Structures are given as structure tokens and as C-alpha cells.
Amino acid sequence: MCRIYGTFNVHSDEAELRRVADLMHHGGPDAQGVTHRADWALGNNRLSIMDPEGGAQPYHLGRITVVFNGEIYNHRELRERLTGLGFHFDDQCDGSILPALYLTYGDRFAEQLDGMYSVAVMDLRSTPRMVLATDDSGMKPLYYHWERAAGRFRFASELPALLGFTGVRAEEDETGLDAYLTSKTPFGDRTMFRGVRVLPPAATAVVSHRDGLRIRHRPMAHEQGLRPDEGRSLEQAGEQLRALLSDEVARLLVADAPVAAVTSGGLDSSLVTALAARALRAGGGHGSLHTFNIAYTGTWPSDERAYAAEVARASGTRHHQVEIDPATFPDLMGDVVRHLGQPNADPITLSTFSLFRAVRDAGFKVALTGDAADELFGGYARMTQAVAAHHGSDWAEDYLDHLAAVPRALRESLYTDEYAFAVRAAGPALPADIRQILRSSPGTRLQRIAAVEQRYRLPAYHLRRVDHLSMASSIEVRLPFCQPSVVRFAATLTDSHRLVPGLGVKRALYQAAGGLIPRSVLDRPKQPFTLPVTAMLAPGQPLWALARDVLSPNTLRADGRIRPERVAALFEEQAVRPGDSVSLALWSLMSHQLWRQEFFATAATTAPAALRTADRVLLEAA
């Protein structure tokens, strides 16, 4: 696991490259390496997980140079195959096979990989070209800045590091606020910064002097023509899924560094925990699996620590109960916003950051989690509601509204006239094909929803958050549910094996977990693993004071996009009648303003350029 960065057709001196590397030191504190020439560079910060004594990056083979972030779980099979073709390897590190793999398969090398990764290759054999690739689920982000006219390209694993390049300015995408409130973070390749993009999942990009930047989208694991197995019973599906997850969890336990598991007390992480503990016992491993759960000082709704402890006892793990004081949240917010690089509207960000910091402090470098099961197996209430909606209803728009940090009607009431004008002029905040997928793509309604969740929401909103907030504490997160074999298996499930309104969600997964985790966990109502923000955003609480300060009328008037009087009304409503919709709206607006303060020195006093332009247009029209 590492952090990577680089340039093409750009001259960077050592000081600039060192600055970019230092901005990601937390993600690769064990070693640093860089290769740079007059017009290109590739650099790496290493978190040593596999073969700590080997695997020094960048990797070199002839006129090929490679840097890599992630884990390749099938590296042994690939090494054996490549050795048979005449290649020689000096160590057993997973990334060492990449130069030979690229020489053998060219731009299609990523199709051979099973794992989580972002890879950058500099090929100098003839015309210089840089090739970059991301994994099928988007577990390892790669942000880039492309100057088309000049042909200059820069990339990095994290947004603050990319902004560390001299030629990349931190300029706000003025309508990014609308995109953020519409989907809790920008979807697709969009970011909150002008001119900065993120490579989508399953993407291969090639940069050259002749052709510029070209991006090819490989089929994601769930897009490979798989069909539901109509002849399989729910019991059979559960047995097959349990066997598959058992194999994948066992593979993901292999590391040359201590491995732990995150146990929230819900189905997904509990199943991963149970399978990991069983795999360690079966493999004759010494000691027990260590598990971690997070809770909050005081008495709060949706506290899951008792369920997590019960799972730990049943699985025989050494359990660590992490507890954080809500009084520390205002100070934590700055760290979280900085490491994310752009707003993410889920209050779980504070919990996630604090939990992985505790995992690190306990001496671990790798953690298994249950992330992505809901997207694959049909675990969200919005999915059930969309499937159950009457055929004459506008279920697709209702479903999209459930993805929002602020529902459409409330969102539109918050915008000033100038910002509403700018938003209309900019066009839809969501990628253009999302509505097309939902309304007219082949497959059932649930299959179309799953396609949107896996291509857009999971990588942007979920996986990038997990990656950035775990690597902030030098923790590599491994995600069994994102393994290609598991994603492909989910695509073969019938709708009824995912969810049936009135009967339950994630039915195949519950079937797989039967007998492995306590009945109390299996039978309890599903609840999200998140911060109880509705209860915590209340008068007298630290988050309330922070939100009132950050969303002051003067700040909002200077920003020019949000009506101060409408925000004041939200505070009044939350104080009298606390509710999830209002509390999330206030949290989201607060997070956005904190992000502006972190990355734009004039955020509190300067309205975005688009609003000044919109103002002029309105005045001229008048």
C-alpha cells in the first residue's frame, strides 16, 4: 500500500516533488522513492505490507518505470506465469511483477490483476507515453490535472498532494456545492476543484505527446454479461456465497504486517469478522484476531457496542472498544476535511477517522472491513422503496432524492437567486447517464439501481472516504466485498435473493451468515453505521456551537449561494423538532464551509466567480 504521484510533459524540480510527497507522508511513511527526468516524474510513498525488505519503488525494467498503490492478491500466480515467460524477480513483493506484466500485456495489463490498485507506467521504448489504471471498484483513487492545450499532465493519490504541484491551482468549482448537496459528494470523474478530475473505476488512461489524454473504460466486474441464476435456491445461493467469502477473507489475511478487523455490530462487518477469525484458527495462526468498534462518550441513539462485543465473543477475538468524546469533534473536523480533500456529507467521517487512528495506535497496519455489501446485495431502504414503488410513479427521481445530502425541494429553497441561475446554466449536477441507466437500461429495476450504486455512488461517496481516512493513519483497508469474484457473484443473484419488500434485504448474505454470527445480530433491525448527528446537533452540544459559528449569516452572505435566513430557520427547527433531514442539511452545509476555509484563504469574504458573473447577467437582463 502506498501513495503515488507523477507528471508527464512537465519539468518539476526536486523541491516541488518533495513537497508533493510530503503532503502524502501519512499514507506512506515507511519509504519514499522518485524517478524524474527533464519532462516526467514518478514518485511513491510506501506503507510496507508485503515483503518489507523488497519492493522498493519506483520499479524499473529496461525502459519501463512503474509506481503502484494498493495490493495485488493474485501476484503469486502472475509471478509464476511471467517467470515461465523468462522474467526474473528479485523479491516476493506483489507490485514487483508490474513492469513485466505491462511488457507482456501492454495497455491491457490491468485486466490480469485481482486486487485494489492504482498504477502508473512510464514507457520510454519509443514515443514516450504514460499509462495509468484503476481497479474495477475504484478502491484506490487517482486524481489528475490535464492541461489540454499545453499537453501537461499531473496526478496524485490525494487531492491536497495534487494541489501541491506548482501548476495546479486550488480553484473552486462554483457549482460543485450543488453537486455535493445533490449526491453527498460529486459523482463520476468530477471533483470540487476546477480542472481537477478523478479517474473512474476500471479505467485505463494513456497520455502521450501525439494523442494527448485518452481514457478507456474497461467493463466493471458486474458489467461482464453475467445473468441471474434463476434455478438456484436461496439456500444454495447462501452456501455458495459463504464459501466464496471464506476464500476471499482468507486470502486478504495474508500480509507481512499485523491484520485486524473492524466490527460495527451489523451483519456485514460481523460476517467478515467471523470468517476471518475462523480462517486464522484453521490456518494454525498464533493468537486471536483483534477487532475494533467505535462508540461515543455518553448515551446516544443507535449505540452498537453491545452487538459488536457479542460478535467478538462468539468469534473468539480480542476486542478493542474505542470511545471518543463528542467534545473533540470540532477539532477533528479540520483534520477530516483536510484528508478527504473535498466535502463528504456523511457524518461517519468523524467516526471513521477516529477509529483508524485507534487501530494504528494499537499497532496494526491492515484492517478488514465490511464495506460495499449494501451496494452489492441490496441493503438500502431506498432500494426497497424504489422496487416497491408503483409503476406509474416517478420512482427514479425519488430514488435519486434519497441519495442527496439535502432533498431537492429543500435544496432549491436554500439557494439565492444568483446561485439558482448559475446552477440552471451549468446543467444537471449528476452524470448525464444516471437517469438513462435507471429509466431505460436493460434489466430489472433493482439491477439498474445496483448498476448506478456500483459505478457512481460506491466509489465516489464510500470507497474514497474509506481510503483517505484510513490512510490518514497509515492503515491499509482491505475490502472482501469488493473482490471481483464477490462482485461477479452478486451479479448472478436474482432480485428475490437480494431483497423482497416486506421480507427483507440482503437475503443471500443473511443466509450465508446463518450459524456464524449471533442470532441477536441477524434478527435486529438494520441501522446505518454512522454518527448520531441528529442527537448531537442540538443546543448545548459542541457540534451545535461549531455549526452556528461556521454558518454565520455574515459568512453565508459573503459566499453568496445560500440564503442566511433559510439556514437560520433550519437551526430553529432543529432546536425545537430535531430531525434527520434538517440535521443532515446543517451538517452538510457546515462541512462545505469548513472545506472552503481549509482550501481557500478568501472563502469567508469572497463570492465565487460564477455568482459574480450571474449577478452581472441578472443586472443586464433587468
Side-chain angles (χ1 to χ4, degrees), residues 339-354:
H339 283 291
L340 285 172
Q342 61 183 356
N344 183 300
D346 196 334
I348 200 178
T349 52
L350 285 178
S351 312
T352 303
F353 178 80
S354 301

Side-chain angles (χ1 to χ4, degrees), residues 511-582:
Q511 191 73 32
L516 283 176
I517 60 178
R519 291 302 315 178
S520 59
V521 173
L522 285 174
D523 294 341
R524 74 187 184 97
K526 174 180 169 55
Q527 68 182 57
F529 173 49
T530 191
L531 194 78
V533 67
T534 300
M536 290 183 170
L537 197 56
Q541 294 297 328
L543 283 180
W544 179 268
L546 177 65
R548 293 304 300 255
D549 180 56
V550 170
L551 297 176
S552 71
N554 287 341
T555 298
L556 295 176
R557 274 191 289 271
D559 184 283
R561 288 175 282 189
I562 301 296
R563 297 178 184 272
E565 69 276 12
R566 288 292 296 124
V567 174
L570 291 180
F571 276 114
E572 291 174 9
E573 182 176 348
Q574 178 67 9
V576 177
R577 293 179 299 277
D580 293 345
S581 180
V582 172

Side-chain angles (χ1 to χ4, degrees), residues 97-116:
I97 56 108
L98 288 168
L101 193 73
Y102 174 77
L103 283 171
T104 303
Y105 294 98
D107 295 354
R108 305 185 77 89
F109 76 97
E111 297 171 19
Q112 309 299 316
L113 298 175
D114 174 1
M116 54 179 179

Side-chain angles (χ1 to χ4, degrees), residues 175-476:
T175 58
L177 171 60
D178 180 59
Y180 161 65
L181 297 180
T182 298
S183 50
K184 298 183 180 176
T185 200
F187 280 4
D189 67 349
R190 186 174 182 177
T191 75
M192 298 287 285
F193 295 93
R194 290 177 58 191
V196 174
R197 298 286 171 175
V198 57
L199 273 184
T204 299
V206 180
V207 192
S208 67
H209 295 294
R210 185 187 68 185
D211 298 325
L213 171 64
R214 296 193 175 186
I215 300 175
R216 177 173 66 88
H217 298 273
R218 311 186 308 272
M220 297 175 71
H222 69 281
E223 299 171 337
Q224 296 173 3
L226 299 167
R227 294 288 181 268
D229 185 347
E230 302 288 350
R232 182 172 52 194
S233 69
L234 180 60
E235 291 74 17
Q236 290 171 326
E239 290 173 3
Q240 293 171 14
L241 180 54
R242 180 194 290 207
L244 179 60
L245 283 170
S246 297
D247 290 343
E248 293 294 0
V249 168
R251 282 211 303 161
L252 269 58
L253 285 169
V254 177
D256 296 322
V259 181
V262 170
T263 306
S264 70
L267 168 66
D268 311 333
S269 64
S270 298
L271 179 54
V272 169
T273 295
L275 292 174
R278 191 172 69 165
L280 285 176
R281 289 193 298 270
H286 298 291
S288 302
L289 177 72
H290 288 247
T291 51
F292 291 79
N293 173 265
I294 193 157
Y296 315 101
T297 303
T299 302
W300 301 100
S302 305
D303 191 315
E304 296 185 287
R305 74 180 80 196
Y307 296 107
E310 191 170 356
V311 170
R313 283 193 298 271
S315 301
T317 74
R318 294 184 61 183
H319 193 54
H320 303 253
Q321 183 59 63
V322 181
E323 188 175 272
I324 54 175
D325 188 343
T328 66
F329 288 170
D331 291 334
L332 286 176
M333 286 291 291
D335 291 333
V336 168
V337 167
R338 183 171 61 259
H339 283 291
L340 285 172
Q342 61 183 356
N344 183 300
D346 196 334
I348 200 178
T349 52
L350 285 178
S351 312
T352 303
F353 178 80
S354 301
L355 178 61
F356 287 120
R357 187 171 60 181
V359 172
R360 176 203 64 197
D361 291 345
F364 293 88
K365 297 178 77 170
V366 181
L368 271 60
T369 76
D371 294 291
D374 287 315
E375 288 82 358
L376 293 177
F377 297 101
Y380 291 119
R382 61 177 175 269
M383 296 176 171
T384 302
Q385 292 168 8
V387 169
H390 188 272
H391 285 287
S393 67
D394 196 353
W395 66 268
E397 288 303 316
D398 291 341
Y399 161 77
L400 291 175
D401 220 22
H402 280 295
L403 298 182
V406 180
R408 180 176 54 193
L410 176 56
R411 194 166 65 239
E412 292 174 352
S413 75
L414 288 172
Y415 294 162
T416 62
D417 290 342
E418 295 82 3
Y419 190 55
F421 178 87
V423 165
R424 287 193 299 271
L430 293 171
D433 64 342
I434 284 185
R435 286 181 170 82
Q436 177 186 346
I437 293 171
L438 291 173
R439 292 193 169 115
S440 59
S441 287
T444 66
R445 189 180 293 182
L446 182 56
Q447 288 169 338
R448 285 175 271 156
I449 289 170
V452 168
E453 295 271 351
Q454 291 177 54
R455 174 162 283 283
Y456 290 107
R457 185 181 181 276
L458 177 62
Y461 173 64
H462 202 133
L463 298 180
R464 290 176 207 157
R465 178 182 73 224
V466 171
D467 173 78
H468 294 324
L469 297 182
S470 58
M471 290 294 276
S473 294
S474 307
I475 297 294
E476 171 181 297

